[in-house]
Structures are given as structure tokens and as C-alpha cells.
Amino acid sequence: MATPRRDTRGIVDAADFLARVRFRRPEPAPALRPYVEHYWLIDWDLTEPYVSHVVPHPAVHLVFQRFEGQEPFVEIAGVQQGLFTQKLEGRGRVCGVKFRPGGFRPFAPEHPASHWTGRRVHLTGTDPAPVLDPADEKARVAALNAHLLAARVPRPEPQADLAMSLVDRIRTDRAIRRVADLASDEGLSVRLLQRLFAAYVGVGPKWVILRYRIHEALERAEAEEAVDWASVAADLGYADQAHLVRDFTATVGVPPAAYARHRTP
């Protein structure tokens, strides 16, 4: 299984975001790593409101949250298909669990992953204080570990393992450009592949392929001084630059060249 990414892929204007908040990605306990990609901890103390934007990954999150002026709460956030926007102001803290794409279903086997897609569901019976209250970061990580381990580490589930490995392959293999080719390589029909992704990932394989293309384009815009978008489009398997521009604009809200011009240095 591929190593989880440690970059800022998906965060819109990552430099501006990191200048305003403390953002860390500690690892979970070893027993949880087959299912959990990483934890993510955010703390902020702002004099002016700030709106963050993220192009979401195909992952389910368990999130413990404290915003100024609100009661702390816990929620399950399914795969968000559009741009995720969150206003931050005053002081606050968020401690999240990012499950591997396909890794949440073993913890909640009563529903397919598609049940959570596009939804943010509050967990009224879960106390957020043990995770959010500690000042020490290691104590917060320990509390997240304890919360998940108390739910019992799932038994091995071949279908979940297959779904996780297929998403990892899409993420890391530039040659994966068509659902039909992936299905053929894996000895599956397109229909079976789609059903597997609906049950364990929450979105279809075509959506995952397109989303990782946008993540790559976004990272190129963040990292490179002068981006050759025609070359990027070819690298990512687009028929032409216009298709990349259309997908990027629909997802991020601005064309890629405009985004690259106005990002924070």
C-alpha cells in the first residue's frame, strides 16, 4: 500500500492558510494505520476572520471541532464533492481523523460509504472534550487513538483492502486515466468496480481519477513559478488544455492561470 501523502495537496492557497493557522498531521497508532491515513490538527487565534478553501479528497473524516461562540461538537464528514469552505474567526481548534479512501466502512459497516457522501452528520452521543481540551498535542493524539481503538479495530476485510489499494493506485499511477482500463487491469467489470467504490469509497472511480488530476494541477500551480498548462494537461491525461481549464475552474472557482497569478508567494 502506498505511503500516505504528507503534502498540502487540496488546500487552496496553502501558503496563506499555513500563515494563519497551526496545521499538523500526526500519525495514528500502528493498529489504525491500515485504515487511517493521518490525523490533522488545526489551531487558530485570529484578529480578523479568514475563510479557508479545500478541494476535498475522496475520504471520510471524523472531526472534533471547537469554534468561538459555539458549543464543541463531533461530526462524520462524508466525501464532499464540491469545494469545501470554512470560515475561521477568533480562537478555535479542530482535531480530525482522515480515513483512507475505503477505510471508514469497516468502522461503520451498517452503511455503504455512499450513505455519507456530501453529508456532515453530528454525533450527539460523543463527548468532544477528551480530544479538544488537552493543551498538549500528544495528549490529543492519544485521545484520538483511544476513541478509535475503543470502537475496536475492524477485522480484515478483503473488499475494503481492495478499494484502498485501487484508490492508492489511481493516486500514484499517472497511467490510470480511464475507468474501463483500470477495471480491465484488475479483472473486474466496470459495473463491479463502480459498486465497490460506492460501497467503500463513497464516490465513483471516474470522480476519483478526475479529483486527483485537479489536486496535481493545484499543486503545480502552488509550486511552479511559470506553469506550462498545455504540458500539465498532457501529463494528466487530458485531451487538451481546454478540458483541464474547464475541470479546474468548475472545482476551484477560477481558471488555473488566474489562480497561479494570485496565489500567496
Side-chain angles (χ1 to χ4, degrees), residues 19-90:
R20 297 171 184 268
V21 306
R22 291 188 63 235
F23 178 59
R24 292 88 67 210
R25 285 176 170 167
E27 289 190 334
L32 297 168
R33 290 175 193 170
Y35 308 96
V36 176
E37 188 161 333
H38 55 70
Y39 297 145
W40 48 279
L41 310 180
I42 302 176
D43 296 273
W44 65 91
D45 188 355
L46 301 170
T47 56
E48 297 180 355
Y50 169 70
V51 179
S52 64
H53 304 280
V54 176
V55 178
H57 292 245
V60 177
H61 296 254
L62 176 66
V63 194
F64 297 73
Q65 305 177 66
R66 175 180 290 144
F67 295 92
E68 192 165 280
Q70 301 180 34
E71 287 295 318
F73 62 97
V74 186
E75 69 178 6
I76 296 173
V79 178
Q80 304 298 306
Q81 294 175 287
L83 187 68
F84 178 78
T85 300
Q86 179 66 64
K87 183 178 181 180
L88 307 177
E89 52 189 332

Side-chain angles (χ1 to χ4, degrees), residues 40-193:
W40 48 279
L41 310 180
I42 302 176
D43 296 273
W44 65 91
D45 188 355
L46 301 170
T47 56
E48 297 180 355
Y50 169 70
V51 179
S52 64
H53 304 280
V54 176
V55 178
H57 292 245
V60 177
H61 296 254
L62 176 66
V63 194
F64 297 73
Q65 305 177 66
R66 175 180 290 144
F67 295 92
E68 192 165 280
Q70 301 180 34
E71 287 295 318
F73 62 97
V74 186
E75 69 178 6
I76 296 173
V79 178
Q80 304 298 306
Q81 294 175 287
L83 187 68
F84 178 78
T85 300
Q86 179 66 64
K87 183 178 181 180
L88 307 177
E89 52 189 332
R91 299 181 64 184
R93 171 174 293 168
V94 175
C95 301
V97 179
K98 180 184 179 184
F99 289 87
R100 291 180 182 274
F104 179 73
R105 175 74 186 274
F107 285 87
E110 65 276 10
H111 295 297
S114 58
H115 169 81
W116 307 101
T117 299
R119 302 177 63 195
R120 300 175 66 181
V121 180
H122 282 223
L123 299 181
T124 56
T126 302
D127 181 10
V131 172
L132 294 173
D133 285 355
D136 180 67
E137 183 174 308
K138 291 182 179 179
R140 279 178 258 161
V141 171
L144 288 169
N145 285 332
H147 180 83
L148 293 178
L149 291 170
R152 299 182 183 178
V153 176
R155 295 177 180 178
E157 189 173 342
Q159 289 294 94
D161 292 342
L162 176 59
M164 287 188 281
S165 69
L166 290 177
V167 175
D168 277 337
R169 184 179 173 193
I170 292 171
R171 179 169 59 182
T172 57
D173 186 350
R174 293 277 187 83
I176 301 299
R177 297 178 176 180
R178 298 177 64 249
V179 174
D181 293 341
L182 177 62
S184 178
D185 287 350
E186 297 293 333
L188 301 169
S189 69
V190 170
R191 179 59 181 156
L192 282 176
L193 185 64

